[in-house]
mmCIF file of all heavy atoms in Angstrom:
data_model
loop_
_atom_site.group_PDB
_atom_site.id
_atom_site.type_symbol
_atom_site.label_atom_id
_atom_site.label_comp_id
_atom_site.label_asym_id
_atom_site.label_seq_id
_atom_site.Cartn_x
_atom_site.Cartn_y
_atom_site.Cartn_z
ATOM 1 N N ALA A 1 -21.187 -13.179 1.339
ATOM 2 C CA ALA A 1 -21.919 -12.249 2.217
ATOM 3 C C ALA A 1 -21.104 -11.836 3.451
ATOM 4 O O ALA A 1 -21.071 -10.667 3.801
ATOM 5 C CB ALA A 1 -23.250 -12.870 2.629
ATOM 6 N N SER A 2 -20.463 -12.811 4.061
ATOM 7 C CA SER A 2 -19.657 -12.506 5.212
ATOM 8 C C SER A 2 -18.494 -11.541 4.902
ATOM 9 O O SER A 2 -18.179 -10.655 5.667
ATOM 10 C CB SER A 2 -19.072 -13.820 5.821
ATOM 11 O OG SER A 2 -20.091 -14.561 6.445
ATOM 12 N N CYS A 3 -17.803 -11.779 3.770
ATOM 13 C CA CYS A 3 -16.747 -10.890 3.349
ATOM 14 C C CYS A 3 -17.313 -9.491 3.107
ATOM 15 O O CYS A 3 -16.613 -8.460 3.459
ATOM 16 C CB CYS A 3 -16.038 -11.438 2.136
ATOM 17 S SG CYS A 3 -14.994 -12.888 2.501
ATOM 18 N N ALA A 4 -18.462 -9.397 2.514
ATOM 19 C CA ALA A 4 -19.058 -8.091 2.258
ATOM 20 C C ALA A 4 -19.390 -7.368 3.552
ATOM 21 O O ALA A 4 -19.132 -6.157 3.680
ATOM 22 C CB ALA A 4 -20.274 -8.231 1.350
ATOM 23 N N VAL A 5 -20.015 -8.050 4.452
ATOM 24 C CA VAL A 5 -20.397 -7.461 5.765
ATOM 25 C C VAL A 5 -19.090 -7.089 6.483
ATOM 26 O O VAL A 5 -19.032 -5.987 7.115
ATOM 27 C CB VAL A 5 -21.225 -8.438 6.589
ATOM 28 C CG1 VAL A 5 -21.431 -7.828 7.972
ATOM 29 C CG2 VAL A 5 -22.517 -8.725 5.893
ATOM 30 N N CYS A 6 -18.070 -7.950 6.467
ATOM 31 C CA CYS A 6 -16.797 -7.607 7.088
ATOM 32 C C CYS A 6 -16.217 -6.311 6.455
ATOM 33 O O CYS A 6 -15.779 -5.411 7.185
ATOM 34 C CB CYS A 6 -15.814 -8.762 6.863
ATOM 35 S SG CYS A 6 -14.115 -8.408 7.301
ATOM 36 N N ALA A 7 -16.236 -6.214 5.179
ATOM 37 C CA ALA A 7 -15.724 -5.022 4.483
ATOM 38 C C ALA A 7 -16.483 -3.755 4.879
ATOM 39 O O ALA A 7 -15.888 -2.723 5.111
ATOM 40 C CB ALA A 7 -15.826 -5.216 2.954
ATOM 41 N N ARG A 8 -17.796 -3.902 5.063
ATOM 42 C CA ARG A 8 -18.623 -2.748 5.464
ATOM 43 C C ARG A 8 -18.209 -2.277 6.855
ATOM 44 O O ARG A 8 -18.057 -1.090 7.100
ATOM 45 C CB ARG A 8 -20.089 -3.078 5.409
ATOM 46 C CG ARG A 8 -21.034 -1.959 5.776
ATOM 47 C CD ARG A 8 -22.435 -2.174 5.432
ATOM 48 N NE ARG A 8 -23.021 -3.265 6.223
ATOM 49 C CZ ARG A 8 -23.474 -3.106 7.461
ATOM 50 N NH1 ARG A 8 -23.458 -1.925 8.058
ATOM 51 N NH2 ARG A 8 -24.018 -4.155 8.153
ATOM 52 N N HIS A 9 -17.997 -3.200 7.768
ATOM 53 C CA HIS A 9 -17.584 -2.829 9.151
ATOM 54 C C HIS A 9 -16.160 -2.221 9.115
ATOM 55 O O HIS A 9 -15.915 -1.254 9.836
ATOM 56 C CB HIS A 9 -17.595 -4.063 10.019
ATOM 57 C CG HIS A 9 -18.961 -4.487 10.466
ATOM 58 N ND1 HIS A 9 -19.882 -3.643 11.046
ATOM 59 C CD2 HIS A 9 -19.540 -5.717 10.390
ATOM 60 C CE1 HIS A 9 -20.950 -4.290 11.352
ATOM 61 N NE2 HIS A 9 -20.800 -5.580 10.945
ATOM 62 N N LEU A 10 -15.261 -2.769 8.300
ATOM 63 C CA LEU A 10 -13.933 -2.184 8.231
ATOM 64 C C LEU A 10 -13.936 -0.760 7.725
ATOM 65 O O LEU A 10 -13.304 0.121 8.269
ATOM 66 C CB LEU A 10 -13.054 -3.053 7.302
ATOM 67 C CG LEU A 10 -12.604 -4.407 7.828
ATOM 68 C CD1 LEU A 10 -11.861 -5.194 6.775
ATOM 69 C CD2 LEU A 10 -11.760 -4.271 9.104
ATOM 70 N N LEU A 11 -14.697 -0.536 6.675
ATOM 71 C CA LEU A 11 -14.762 0.795 6.103
ATOM 72 C C LEU A 11 -15.468 1.779 7.054
ATOM 73 O O LEU A 11 -15.261 3.019 6.949
ATOM 74 C CB LEU A 11 -15.492 0.781 4.735
ATOM 75 C CG LEU A 11 -14.760 0.008 3.637
ATOM 76 C CD1 LEU A 11 -15.625 -0.147 2.418
ATOM 77 C CD2 LEU A 11 -13.454 0.734 3.254
ATOM 78 N N ALA A 12 -16.292 1.258 7.973
ATOM 79 C CA ALA A 12 -16.929 2.101 8.981
ATOM 80 C C ALA A 12 -16.060 2.258 10.190
ATOM 81 O O ALA A 12 -16.461 2.964 11.176
ATOM 82 C CB ALA A 12 -18.273 1.456 9.368
ATOM 83 N N GLY A 13 -14.851 1.655 10.207
ATOM 84 C CA GLY A 13 -13.929 1.825 11.351
ATOM 85 C C GLY A 13 -14.242 0.936 12.513
ATOM 86 O O GLY A 13 -13.843 1.232 13.651
ATOM 87 N N ASP A 14 -14.824 -0.229 12.257
ATOM 88 C CA ASP A 14 -15.140 -1.198 13.348
ATOM 89 C C ASP A 14 -14.520 -2.532 13.058
ATOM 90 O O ASP A 14 -15.258 -3.484 12.644
ATOM 91 C CB ASP A 14 -16.624 -1.287 13.550
ATOM 92 C CG ASP A 14 -17.008 -2.032 14.857
ATOM 93 O OD1 ASP A 14 -16.140 -2.626 15.444
ATOM 94 O OD2 ASP A 14 -18.224 -1.973 15.213
ATOM 95 N N PRO A 15 -13.195 -2.692 13.260
ATOM 96 C CA PRO A 15 -12.567 -3.971 12.940
ATOM 97 C C PRO A 15 -12.978 -5.132 13.849
ATOM 98 O O PRO A 15 -12.838 -6.284 13.467
ATOM 99 C CB PRO A 15 -11.086 -3.662 13.107
ATOM 100 C CG PRO A 15 -10.992 -2.507 14.019
ATOM 101 C CD PRO A 15 -12.267 -1.683 13.766
ATOM 102 N N VAL A 16 -13.463 -4.842 15.053
ATOM 103 C CA VAL A 16 -13.905 -5.930 15.943
ATOM 104 C C VAL A 16 -15.162 -6.619 15.356
ATOM 105 O O VAL A 16 -15.179 -7.839 15.255
ATOM 106 C CB VAL A 16 -14.123 -5.400 17.373
ATOM 107 C CG1 VAL A 16 -14.644 -6.558 18.221
ATOM 108 C CG2 VAL A 16 -12.880 -4.822 17.952
ATOM 109 N N GLN A 17 -16.139 -5.772 15.013
ATOM 110 C CA GLN A 17 -17.326 -6.352 14.372
ATOM 111 C C GLN A 17 -16.974 -6.996 13.073
ATOM 112 O O GLN A 17 -17.518 -8.053 12.673
ATOM 113 C CB GLN A 17 -18.352 -5.238 14.136
ATOM 114 C CG GLN A 17 -19.058 -4.773 15.397
ATOM 115 C CD GLN A 17 -20.081 -5.771 15.951
ATOM 116 O OE1 GLN A 17 -20.502 -6.676 15.217
ATOM 117 N NE2 GLN A 17 -20.484 -5.609 17.174
ATOM 118 N N ALA A 18 -16.043 -6.404 12.330
ATOM 119 C CA ALA A 18 -15.582 -6.954 11.061
ATOM 120 C C ALA A 18 -15.037 -8.385 11.265
ATOM 121 O O ALA A 18 -15.351 -9.299 10.507
ATOM 122 C CB ALA A 18 -14.580 -6.053 10.410
ATOM 123 N N TYR A 19 -14.151 -8.531 12.227
ATOM 124 C CA TYR A 19 -13.553 -9.844 12.494
ATOM 125 C C TYR A 19 -14.633 -10.865 12.873
ATOM 126 O O TYR A 19 -14.602 -12.013 12.402
ATOM 127 C CB TYR A 19 -12.446 -9.788 13.533
ATOM 128 C CG TYR A 19 -11.925 -11.186 13.769
ATOM 129 C CD1 TYR A 19 -11.031 -11.758 12.916
ATOM 130 C CD2 TYR A 19 -12.398 -11.935 14.860
ATOM 131 C CE1 TYR A 19 -10.616 -13.065 13.098
ATOM 132 C CE2 TYR A 19 -11.938 -13.242 15.063
ATOM 133 C CZ TYR A 19 -11.080 -13.793 14.182
ATOM 134 O OH TYR A 19 -10.653 -15.091 14.374
ATOM 135 N N ASP A 20 -15.489 -10.475 13.820
ATOM 136 C CA ASP A 20 -16.481 -11.426 14.307
ATOM 137 C C ASP A 20 -17.339 -11.913 13.164
ATOM 138 O O ASP A 20 -17.745 -13.074 13.149
ATOM 139 C CB ASP A 20 -17.324 -10.764 15.416
ATOM 140 C CG ASP A 20 -16.535 -10.536 16.705
ATOM 141 O OD1 ASP A 20 -15.418 -11.132 16.827
ATOM 142 O OD2 ASP A 20 -17.002 -9.713 17.529
ATOM 143 N N ARG A 21 -17.652 -11.005 12.212
ATOM 144 C CA ARG A 21 -18.467 -11.485 11.087
ATOM 145 C C ARG A 21 -17.623 -12.327 10.154
ATOM 146 O O ARG A 21 -18.112 -13.350 9.617
ATOM 147 C CB ARG A 21 -19.047 -10.252 10.358
ATOM 148 C CG ARG A 21 -19.910 -10.707 9.173
ATOM 149 C CD ARG A 21 -20.972 -11.706 9.619
ATOM 150 N NE ARG A 21 -21.504 -12.430 8.528
ATOM 151 C CZ ARG A 21 -22.800 -12.396 8.202
ATOM 152 N NH1 ARG A 21 -23.630 -11.644 8.860
ATOM 153 N NH2 ARG A 21 -23.211 -13.151 7.187
ATOM 154 N N LEU A 22 -16.383 -11.949 9.907
ATOM 155 C CA LEU A 22 -15.537 -12.727 9.020
ATOM 156 C C LEU A 22 -15.345 -14.144 9.528
ATOM 157 O O LEU A 22 -15.274 -15.109 8.762
ATOM 158 C CB LEU A 22 -14.179 -12.048 8.893
ATOM 159 C CG LEU A 22 -13.178 -12.725 7.949
ATOM 160 C CD1 LEU A 22 -13.642 -12.689 6.508
ATOM 161 C CD2 LEU A 22 -11.801 -11.997 8.069
ATOM 162 N N ALA A 23 -15.260 -14.284 10.851
ATOM 163 C CA ALA A 23 -15.049 -15.628 11.445
ATOM 164 C C ALA A 23 -16.201 -16.556 11.084
ATOM 165 O O ALA A 23 -15.983 -17.775 11.012
ATOM 166 C CB ALA A 23 -14.912 -15.473 12.957
ATOM 167 N N LEU A 24 -17.374 -16.035 10.812
ATOM 168 C CA LEU A 24 -18.519 -16.878 10.495
ATOM 169 C C LEU A 24 -18.359 -17.519 9.075
ATOM 170 O O LEU A 24 -19.062 -18.441 8.749
ATOM 171 C CB LEU A 24 -19.809 -16.039 10.536
ATOM 172 C CG LEU A 24 -20.214 -15.514 11.897
ATOM 173 C CD1 LEU A 24 -21.501 -14.729 11.769
ATOM 174 C CD2 LEU A 24 -20.357 -16.636 12.906
ATOM 175 N N SER A 25 -17.421 -16.972 8.281
ATOM 176 C CA SER A 25 -17.231 -17.502 6.948
ATOM 177 C C SER A 25 -16.256 -18.665 6.889
ATOM 178 O O SER A 25 -16.111 -19.312 5.857
ATOM 179 C CB SER A 25 -16.720 -16.378 6.011
ATOM 180 O OG SER A 25 -15.381 -16.022 6.353
ATOM 181 N N VAL A 26 -15.553 -18.935 8.032
ATOM 182 C CA VAL A 26 -14.547 -19.987 8.004
ATOM 183 C C VAL A 26 -15.091 -21.329 7.713
ATOM 184 O O VAL A 26 -14.610 -22.056 6.785
ATOM 185 C CB VAL A 26 -13.748 -19.981 9.335
ATOM 186 C CG1 VAL A 26 -12.834 -21.195 9.416
ATOM 187 C CG2 VAL A 26 -12.925 -18.690 9.488
ATOM 188 N N GLN A 27 -16.099 -21.748 8.446
ATOM 189 C CA GLN A 27 -16.630 -23.113 8.208
ATOM 190 C C GLN A 27 -17.259 -23.269 6.855
ATOM 191 O O GLN A 27 -17.045 -24.296 6.153
ATOM 192 C CB GLN A 27 -17.615 -23.486 9.317
ATOM 193 C CG GLN A 27 -17.991 -25.007 9.298
ATOM 194 C CD GLN A 27 -16.762 -25.896 9.392
ATOM 195 O OE1 GLN A 27 -15.956 -25.766 10.284
ATOM 196 N NE2 GLN A 27 -16.637 -26.826 8.429
ATOM 197 N N PRO A 28 -18.070 -22.329 6.393
ATOM 198 C CA PRO A 28 -18.613 -22.423 5.011
ATOM 199 C C PRO A 28 -17.500 -22.539 3.964
ATOM 200 O O PRO A 28 -17.651 -23.302 2.996
ATOM 201 C CB PRO A 28 -19.438 -21.167 4.819
ATOM 202 C CG PRO A 28 -19.839 -20.786 6.181
ATOM 203 C CD PRO A 28 -18.700 -21.174 7.082
ATOM 204 N N PHE A 29 -16.420 -21.767 4.143
ATOM 205 C CA PHE A 29 -15.322 -21.854 3.217
ATOM 206 C C PHE A 29 -14.626 -23.209 3.278
ATOM 207 O O PHE A 29 -14.287 -23.764 2.220
ATOM 208 C CB PHE A 29 -14.306 -20.753 3.385
ATOM 209 C CG PHE A 29 -13.266 -20.801 2.288
ATOM 210 C CD1 PHE A 29 -13.531 -20.180 1.070
ATOM 211 C CD2 PHE A 29 -12.074 -21.489 2.465
ATOM 212 C CE1 PHE A 29 -12.564 -20.286 0.037
ATOM 213 C CE2 PHE A 29 -11.146 -21.580 1.430
ATOM 214 C CZ PHE A 29 -11.375 -20.966 0.224
ATOM 215 N N VAL A 30 -14.415 -23.724 4.434
ATOM 216 C CA VAL A 30 -13.869 -25.066 4.607
ATOM 217 C C VAL A 30 -14.712 -26.087 3.918
ATOM 218 O O VAL A 30 -14.208 -27.026 3.248
ATOM 219 C CB VAL A 30 -13.612 -25.389 6.086
ATOM 220 C CG1 VAL A 30 -13.336 -26.873 6.293
ATOM 221 C CG2 VAL A 30 -12.553 -24.560 6.659
#
């Protein structure tokens, strides 16, 4: 879900929101 939301923000031209959402996936992946 985090990767999908990140991708949506990237495609919309908002890499800051994309990164902030992607960062939430780090601990679940670990």
Side-chain angles (χ1 to χ4, degrees):
S2 289
C3 288
V5 175
C6 170
R8 182 167 66 81
H9 285 307
L10 288 175
L11 294 171
D14 192 346
V16 177
Q17 286 287 343
Y19 177 78
D20 290 345
R21 181 52 199 243
L22 181 65
L24 297 179
S25 70
V26 170
Q27 191 56 52
F29 184 84
V30 167

